Amino acid sequence: MEFIKSADVVVIGGGIVGAAILRELSKYDMKSILVEKEPDLSLGTTKANSAILHAGFDAPTGSLKAITNVRGNKLYHELEKELDLDIKWTGSLVAATTDEEMETLQELLVRGKDNGVEGLKILTAEEVMEQEPNLKTVKGALWAPSAGVCWPFGACIAFAECAVQNGAEVMRDTCVTGFVKENGAIVGVQTNKGTIACKYVVNAAGVYADEIAKLAGDDSFTITPRKGEYILFDKTACSSLVYGVVFPTPTKKSKGILVCTTTHGNTFIGPNANEQDSKTDVSVTTPGMNEIIASARKLIPNLPMGAAITQFAGLRAVSSTGDFIIGASAVPGLFNAAGMQSPGLTAAPAVGEMVAKEVAEVAGAALKADFKAELPKKKAFLRMTEAEKAEKIAENNLYGRVICRCETITEGEIVDAINSPVGARTVDGVKRRTRAGMGRCQAGFCGPRVTQILARELGISVTEVLKEHAGSYMFYDKNNGGEA
């Protein structure tokens, strides 16, 4: 059989978990390739989630969710500087509005301590109001100081770029179609671009992880998509609505519909939690919006709905086991990192550690002596001092041209995002790396200009530029029968 590439390990899935695994694998003396079926990374659950770095009090003690959550939270505190991650350590509150919910907080407090979460305590209503004055109806709250919020797309890209910096490879637009086996063991991954020879495969395919596992001969679990819908508010109108992460008291099914800040000062409410059969339906619904608003108003009665600028939905991968599925499969050569619903974002670096270590032990691979843990530091133009802005413009005059007025994103930042390792290839790829298009007008002003810049930098026509997924062209040629 003819192979297009050869690697020791192929990672399937370019979300935060797959990218974190790739980075950890790049610490070892192995060749690793990540394959992603979409034109960019972080287009699944990583794209549409609450962006919270959980403290770790929610998951059952002893579960993989609990173990990797607490370890992952600790690792993010270390990785923040190494990878120049955008994180705010705001802490989190679980707000109780009834006496019964106050009893639940005590249960969470005990469980959190058993899980190894530090600094947990129950706050009185007065103490809660000192931190979050807009919470008008609470009786008390569980305070977790180690929690925070992050920029999840940025973290995913940073993991991937660090891995590439250390010799790993990322292949996008590469869909897995099957596996090649010899004596029952995987020796190759078949894709739409050809077959990649390998010794080991890591399945981090999100809501499709059960399908990839079954394709390889492992039918030990299934994944059910659980949709969560969100509403995002304009940061200029709602920057002080909440200052951190505010959960309601959780149910058996969900952590609940929360009110939360972002690293850039927006506020969002959501998500709800509705299981569905479709692994592609990320539509928002009127009943979903009504549910989110009604629930959030239990915490903050006077929500400024006129300041809402967008709605979106994402899918969580709920496993049939009720826990994360991490480690070697019964199929020789296959390792799973599946069922990565919440707290998957927080757990990602810890899952990367576990999987990479297990693969390396089986492969007999040693740690590299020259692993480069740090990425070059980047600073958003908007966050620079006036002197830093002047210096940057003098260095590259494209930084003197603002393309996105809402977020003050310059052409220099967009060009850098396109030409960086694992660079942007779509309009939304630019948005996730720079925030161009994430402001009040939602790309109404900057969208066409970003499209032009992408076409120029990628050496393609404007009608070939994608918004996001394959076929999502931004412009069509009316002189060519409406074809892209």
Side-chain angles (χ1 to χ4, degrees):
M1 176 175 290
E2 187 174 337
F3 297 102
I4 58 167
K5 289 180 181 291
S6 179
D8 294 296
V9 191
V10 172
V11 179
I12 302 171
I16 187 76
V17 174
I21 291 170
L22 187 71
R23 180 180 184 270
E24 288 297 319
L25 286 169
S26 74
K27 293 180 178 180
Y28 293 91
D29 189 19
M30 296 187 290
K31 171 64 177 176
S32 301
I33 296 176
L34 183 147
V35 296
E36 166 56 48
K37 67 184 180 68
E38 299 288 356
D40 200 3
L41 305 185
S42 72
L43 292 196
T45 303
T46 306
K47 183 181 75 170
N49 62 79
S50 303
I52 296 170
L53 298 180
H54 295 280
F57 54 77
D58 189 65
T61 302
S63 66
L64 286 171
K65 287 182 180 180
I67 293 167
T68 56
N69 184 345
V70 175
R71 174 62 179 163
N73 181 288
K74 182 179 179 181
L75 286 172
Y76 273 110
H77 280 80
E78 299 171 9
L79 292 165
E80 181 180 10
K81 291 183 179 179
E82 284 186 352
L83 300 182
D84 197 25
L85 302 182
D86 192 357
I87 297 174
K88 279 185 178 179
W89 296 110
T90 60
S92 68
L93 293 168
V94 180
T97 58
T98 66
D99 292 336
E100 184 180 0
E101 289 180 351
M102 286 297 292
E103 293 177 6
T104 301
L105 296 190
Q106 291 292 341
E107 296 173 9
L108 292 176
L109 175 66
V110 172
R111 187 188 308 160
K113 290 181 177 179
D114 289 343
N115 289 352
V117 181
E118 297 179 355
L120 293 174
K121 64 177 180 178
I122 303 292
L123 302 183
T124 65
E126 292 74 19
E127 290 172 324
V128 174
M129 290 290 289
E130 287 179 8
Q131 291 189 207
E132 296 288 357
N134 287 320
L135 298 183
K136 304 295 186 184
T137 59
V138 299
K139 286 181 172 289
L142 175 65
W143 168 243
S146 61
V149 292
C150 74
W151 188 235
F153 335 112
C156 179
I157 298 301
F159 284 134
E161 289 190 347
C162 185
V164 170
Q165 174 178 273
N166 286 283
E169 184 177 349
V170 173
M171 296 176 62
R172 292 172 282 188
D173 289 310
T174 306
C175 182
V176 173
T177 58
F179 295 91
V180 181
K181 293 183 178 180
E182 289 183 3
N183 300 320
I186 293 174
V187 296
V189 177
Q190 296 169 321
T191 78
N192 59 322
K193 293 183 177 179
T195 303
I196 304 169
C198 65
K199 300 172 185 176
Y200 311 101
V201 171
V202 178
N203 170 22
V207 294
Y208 297 96
D210 56 343
E211 296 179 23
I212 292 295
K214 190 172 183 179
L215 200 60
D218 177 359
D219 59 359
S220 62
F221 66 92
T222 58
I223 297 293
T224 300
R226 181 178 290 166
K227 183 191 286 187
E229 299 167 84
Y230 296 84
I231 299 174
L232 183 72
F233 294 96
D234 180 18
K235 64 183 178 182
T236 61
C238 301
S239 60
S240 61
L241 193 61
V242 292
Y243 296 97
V245 181
V246 183
F247 295 100
T249 305
T251 65
K252 291 181 179 180
K253 184 178 180 181
S254 168
K255 291 182 175 69
I257 293 169
L258 57 140
V259 184
C260 185
T261 188
T262 71
T263 60
H264 295 89
N266 298 87
T267 300
F268 70 83
I269 57 176
N272 50 6
N274 295 301
E275 294 185 357
Q276 61 183 35
D277 294 327
S278 173
K279 295 186 177 184
T280 58
D281 178 10
V282 289
S283 60
V284 294
T285 64
T286 298
M289 296 295 100
N290 291 337
E291 177 188 4
I292 290 168
I293 294 167
S295 182
R297 278 178 172 160
K298 292 177 183 178
L299 296 174
I300 299 181
N302 297 318
L303 281 175
M305 295 310 303
I309 57 174
T310 192
Q311 304 83 37
F312 62 94
L315 303 179
R316 292 95 104 183
V318 181
S319 78
S320 54
T321 70
D323 198 0
F324 292 163
I325 300 165
I326 304 172
S329 162
V331 177
L334 177 66
F335 297 80
N336 289 311
M340 294 294 158
Q341 63 181 113
S342 180
L345 171 64
T346 315
V351 174
E353 271 189 340
M354 292 177 65
V355 173
K357 183 179 180 181
E358 188 173 356
V359 173
E361 286 176 351
V362 173
L367 287 166
K368 294 175 181 175
D370 59 349
F371 176 76
K372 299 176 183 177
E374 295 190 3
L375 286 176
K377 298 293 186 288
K378 301 175 184 177
K379 191 172 185 180
F381 187 80
L382 180 60
R383 297 183 180 183
M384 293 180 185
T385 65
E386 291 304 314
E388 288 172 333
K389 289 178 181 178
E391 182 179 351
K392 197 66 179 178
I393 293 170
E395 176 187 314
N396 180 352
N397 62 11
L398 292 182
Y399 275 81
R401 188 175 302 155
V402 173
I403 301 299
C404 173
R405 296 186 298 187
C406 296
E407 297 295 317
T408 317
I409 309 301
T410 67
E411 184 169 357
E413 291 170 286
I414 293 170
V415 170
D416 286 348
I418 295 169
N419 293 313
S420 65
V422 199
R425 295 292 178 270
T426 64
V427 171
D428 282 358
V430 169
K431 177 171 69 175
R432 283 188 296 276
R433 288 165 176 81
T434 68
R435 285 189 61 81
M438 284 196 173
R440 178 180 292 185
C441 83
Q442 290 289 287
F445 176 78
C446 66
R449 187 70 182 110
V450 170
T451 303
Q452 290 178 319
I453 296 169
L454 273 163
R456 182 190 72 208
E457 295 299 314
L458 298 178
I460 60 178
S461 68
V462 165
T463 55
E464 292 178 277
V465 175
L466 299 174
K467 180 183 186 294
E468 185 68 286
H469 302 283
S472 60
Y473 298 106
M474 295 292 293
F475 295 94
Y476 290 83
D477 185 352
K478 67 179 181 179
N479 297 315
N480 192 27
E483 297 295 323

